[in-house]
């Protein structure tokens, strides 16, 4: 990956290295009485974060916007977390061999510096994982509990009792945080009670909806690649019913990444009230 610097455009202009950019946001300092919750997406200029996977079925991140520089920043966000949110859908795709690897990324030599950073903070080698699922219809891959990581499953009142018991013997505790669907606020309260302070959503637009409607999403990190994709259907950063009250996420920081081998240029933006 070329070591081209970025231009910070807001809140002040500066030239900065890509590596260390989001580590410098020092997210671990931001939890107060409530946990600090943040999410991240890479999107095309026309707002697509996922498009149909024509070979394997389902949806996937468009290959022509995924890129190594954005992936580096994804890892810098992930490494700062106590807990990473993933979903039943992700684990189904993982089992079918069609999901991007988020479960064992800390074995990746490209991110050895991030592994060392985490050790220097006195943290466990990897953040724990929480799987959010109504259906509980997913297999549990070995990689999930790799390296002694704790796994928590959160579901809603519709969950099948027998499946809950099965999962409890396989991975650990299964919690209920909502009646028909998992509720963002109850979910975060539950995680806070278990001692999680820094929570990162690596999940998609339904989880973003759950966190936003629950009033618990503190920050949105959004990479916008200067490339138009078109096509339908597609997913954007949020999916679900119209929000009863629109939610404001003021811009906190904006960085310009010039055209390179993989992209025609991209903006790294950070939105949120704290
Ligand atoms: N471009 C990007 O940066 C980016 C980032 C993340 C994801 N994506 C893409 O977005 C697509 C969807 O991702 P995703 O499945 O991880 O996320 P998602 O659309 O947010 O969540 C989907 C699954 O999570 C569970 N779920 C979500 N909200 C729930 C709630 N309130 N209560 C109970 N269960 C809930 C359900 O699992 P069950 O069906 O098991 O009940 C549901 O099928 C994928 O194609 C992914 O690749 C793109």
């Amino acid at each position: 990956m070329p070591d081209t610097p970025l231009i910070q455009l807001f809140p002040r202009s500066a030239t900065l290295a890509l590596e260390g950019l989001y580590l410098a946001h020092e997210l671990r300092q931001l939890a107060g009485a409530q946990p600090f919750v943040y999410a991240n997406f890479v999107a095309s200029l026309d707002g697509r974060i996922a498009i149909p996977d024509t070979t394997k079925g389902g949806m996937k991140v468009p290959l022509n916007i995924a890129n190594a520089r954005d992936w580096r920043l994804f890892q810098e966000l992930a490494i700062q977390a106590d807990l990473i949110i993933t979903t039943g859908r992700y684990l189904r795709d993982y089992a079918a061999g069609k999901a991007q690897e988020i479960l064992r990324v800390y074995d990746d030599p490209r991110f050895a510096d991030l592994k060392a950073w985490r050790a220097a903070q006195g943290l466990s080698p990897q953040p724990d994982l929480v799987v959010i699922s109504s259906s509980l219809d997913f297999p549990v891959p070995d990689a999930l509990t790799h390296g002694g990581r704790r796994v928590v499953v959160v579901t809603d009142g519709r969950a099948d009792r027998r499946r809950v018991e099965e999962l409890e013997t396989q991975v650990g505790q299964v919690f209920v945080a909502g009646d028909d669907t998992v509720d963002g606020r109850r979910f975060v309260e539950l995680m806070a009670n278990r001692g999680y302070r820094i929570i990162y959503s690596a999940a998609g637009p339904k989880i973003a909806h759950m966190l936003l409607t629950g009033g618990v999403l503190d920050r949105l990190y959004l990479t916008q690649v200067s490339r138009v994709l078109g096509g339908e259907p597609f997913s954007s950063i949020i999916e679900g019913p119209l929000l009863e009250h629109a939610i404001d996420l003021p811009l906190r920081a904006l960085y310009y990444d010039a055209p390179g081998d993989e992209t025609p240029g991209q903006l790294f933006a950070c939105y949120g009230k704290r």
Side-chain angles (χ1 to χ4, degrees):
M1 186 174 63
D3 194 15
T4 321
L6 301 166
I7 300 171
Q8 178 169 330
L9 304 169
F10 181 82
R12 67 195 71 79
S13 56
T15 302
L16 298 170
L18 177 83
E19 294 198 354
L21 184 77
Y22 283 169
L23 276 188
H25 284 208
E26 297 190 326
L27 302 180
R28 300 197 60 79
Q29 307 303 320
L30 299 176
Q34 293 301 314
F36 183 79
V37 183
Y38 55 110
N40 173 61
F41 289 100
V42 57
S44 65
L45 203 52
D46 48 343
R48 280 139 173 85
I49 66 110
I51 58 169
D53 184 333
T54 49
T55 48
K56 295 175 177 165
M59 302 288 276
K60 63 169 188 185
V61 177
L63 288 180
N64 47 9
I65 61 166
N67 66 87
R69 290 171 69 83
D70 172 69
W71 191 232
R72 164 73 198 191
L73 294 183
F74 174 99
Q75 298 306 331
E76 291 197 5
L77 293 174
I79 204 77
Q80 296 180 67
D82 293 331
L83 184 69
I84 296 182
I85 304 176
T86 186
T87 66
R89 189 283 315 165
Y90 177 80
L91 291 180
R92 286 191 289 279
D93 281 6
Y94 187 87
K98 56 180 193 176
Q100 197 171 25
E101 178 65 81
I102 60 165
L103 301 181
R104 293 191 63 160
V105 82
Y106 307 103
D107 295 348
D108 189 329
R110 285 176 301 171
F111 305 121
D113 62 317
L114 298 181
K115 198 172 172 178
W117 177 90
R118 201 169 158 89
Q121 311 298 309
L123 299 169
S124 59
Q126 308 182 63
D128 289 348
L129 270 180
V130 56
V131 184
I132 298 183
S133 170
S134 274
S135 70
L136 297 184
D137 176 20
F138 54 82
V140 176
D142 289 344
L144 200 64
T145 49
H146 170 77
R149 165 167 52 194
R150 273 190 295 169
V151 176
V152 180
V153 177
V154 178
T155 189
D156 53 50
R158 295 182 298 156
D160 179 74
R161 199 56 242 161
R162 204 172 309 157
R163 180 66 185 138
V164 168
E165 282 163 17
E166 264 171 27
L167 279 171
E168 285 188 328
T169 57
Q170 274 181 295
V171 285
Q173 247 175 314
V174 177
F175 295 93
V176 173
D179 302 329
D180 292 336
T181 181
V182 174
D183 173 84
R185 181 163 293 276
R186 283 173 68 180
F187 161 70
V188 170
E189 271 167 20
L190 197 67
M191 295 302 103
N193 292 340
R194 294 189 58 76
Y196 293 114
R197 298 170 57 254
I198 312 288
I199 303 177
Y200 178 42
S201 176
K206 293 188 179 124
I207 296 295
H209 193 280
M210 178 195 87
L211 296 171
L212 281 165
T213 51
V216 290
L217 187 72
D218 292 300
R219 258 190 209 181
L220 171 68
Y221 283 88
L222 181 62
T223 298
Q224 189 187 57
V225 180
S226 299
R227 184 169 272 159
V228 178
L229 303 182
E232 285 176 334
F234 67 91
S235 298
S236 78
I237 61 168
I238 178 164
E239 221 166 77
L242 188 68
L243 298 174
E244 203 177 325
H245 302 288
I247 294 167
D248 296 342
L249 289 171
L251 183 66
R252 298 188 58 83
L254 185 64
Y255 311 92
Y256 171 65
D257 189 29
D261 294 344
E262 289 184 278
T263 76
Q266 54 194 338
L267 291 172
F268 299 126
C270 169
Y271 299 92
K273 289 188 180 139
R274 66 176 180 132

